[in-house]
Amino acid sequence: MADQQEASVTLPSEAASVTQARKYVTDILGKWGFAEGTDAADTVRLVVSELATNAVQHTRGQSPTFTVRMSLVREQLRVGVSDSHPRRPRRLPAAVQQDNGRGMVIVRCLVAESGGRLSVTPTADGGKTVWIALPWRAAPVA
């Protein structure tokens, strides 16, 4: 594996794109030597699913697309989901019976449990990128 790998995809901000984003991430992780079905790969896929869902649902039509960026530098995996809506993600009040509003709580917990960190950076177009950075080692190929 090279010292640095990068990949990205831009998708329309529609519900079907969340599935495409998950599949894209799974495919790239496989190309980079990460076994599907491992806890780490499942964590990344779930995080991307949550962030892509947020990019579709919470931009209120102000972001026609979102972009998933991935980079692997030595043993750190960074994944970011960008959209052009200016509002940063925020934790919504989540009542016990509420079906939504807990996505960022889940993302923060998964990232922390994996020894990683979450950050949000502004984009040139006035939007933002929600990044996760995780320590990562490729699974041995059987």
Side-chain angles (χ1 to χ4, degrees):
M1 175 177 24
D3 277 351
Q4 183 168 340
Q5 305 276 351
E6 293 184 355
S8 68
V9 65
T10 299
L11 300 165
S13 289
E14 53 191 44
S17 294
V18 175
T19 301
Q20 290 177 300
R22 246 189 336 264
K23 182 177 180 343
Y24 178 78
V25 167
T26 300
D27 292 347
I28 295 299
L29 291 176
K31 288 177 185 176
W32 290 353
F34 302 113
E36 187 175 349
T38 62
D39 287 344
D42 288 346
T43 293
V44 172
R45 206 169 34 256
L46 179 55
V47 166
V48 167
S49 184
E50 288 292 336
L51 296 179
T53 297
N54 285 352
V56 170
Q57 289 184 344
H58 299 296
T59 59
R60 293 185 173 83
Q62 292 183 25
S63 183
T65 63
F66 68 92
T67 301
V68 178
R69 291 180 178 80
M70 301 173 67
S71 69
L72 177 64
V73 179
R74 294 181 186 82
E75 293 181 349
Q76 183 181 50
L77 177 69
R78 284 181 42 96
V79 179
V81 176
S82 303
D83 63 59
S84 56
H85 192 282
R87 189 177 66 223
R88 297 169 63 99
R90 59 191 168 97
R91 188 177 305 168
L92 300 175
V96 175
Q97 291 87 12
Q98 191 172 341
D99 290 336
N100 58 20
R102 290 175 261 197
M104 288 307 295
V105 172
I106 292 167
V107 167
R108 288 180 194 282
C109 288
L110 287 169
V111 170
E113 286 174 6
S114 298
R117 66 186 192 291
L118 181 134
S119 62
V120 181
T121 59
T123 60
D125 66 357
K128 80 273 188 192
T129 302
V130 180
W131 290 101
I132 63 164
L134 302 172
W136 200 282
R137 296 178 197 259
V141 178

